Amino acid sequence: MEAGLEHLGRGTAAAVNRLVVVVEPGRRSIDTAAHIRQLAEDIGVKTLSLVGNKIRSEGDRNFLLEHMPDFDFLGFIPFEAGIIEADLEGRPPFEKTQRDSKQSG
């Protein structure tokens, strides 16, 4: 589904077995994940997992784990400036990161 809470509010995700939520190191993102968990429970989605995104350091990873101890993390994706640049250029992220890797290697 696209990003946003509308799907949960309308109940269009009721047939989902697991909801995977992308969370970034920050208070607003943590609060949003907690809100999503409540909405998911309200429509009967029993399994919610998280992916930590834009992780710049071990400190970011630890921040999420410490502030969200009762959430299931599937993994963590490091911050990659090339992904942001690709989006600004309207290109797929893998093209930008592959091109950058080839140029530096």
Side-chain angles (χ1 to χ4, degrees), residues 63-82:
F63 176 84
L64 290 174
L65 291 171
E66 289 171 13
H67 288 87
M68 306 179 86
D70 56 338
F71 282 86
D72 171 44
F73 277 90
L74 297 175
F76 298 88
I77 301 171
F79 174 83
E80 175 62 55

Side-chain angles (χ1 to χ4, degrees), residues 88-99:
L88 292 172
E89 296 169 4
R91 301 172 58 97
F94 67 88
E95 284 182 10
K96 182 71 174 178
T97 54
Q98 285 177 346
R99 185 179 54 181

Side-chain angles (χ1 to χ4, degrees), residues 1 29 39-40 44 52 54 56 64 67 72 75 77 80 86-87 104:
M1 291 182 276
S29 191
L39 290 172
K54 298 182 183 174
R56 299 165 299 166
L64 290 174
H67 288 87
D72 171 44
I77 301 171
E80 175 62 55
D87 187 37
S104 64

Side-chain angles (χ1 to χ4, degrees), residues 1 4-5 8 13 16-23 29-52 68-75:
M1 291 182 276
L5 301 176
L8 296 171
V16 171
N17 294 328
R18 175 187 303 263
L19 190 60
V20 178
V21 177
V22 177
V23 63
S29 191
I30 290 171
D31 291 345
T32 300
H35 186 80
I36 289 170
R37 178 170 51 187
Q38 183 59 55
L39 290 172
E41 288 174 3
D42 290 349
I43 62 169
V45 176
K46 300 196 184 328
T47 307
L48 181 98
S49 297
L50 301 179
V51 173
M68 306 179 86
D70 56 338
F71 282 86
D72 171 44
F73 277 90
L74 297 175

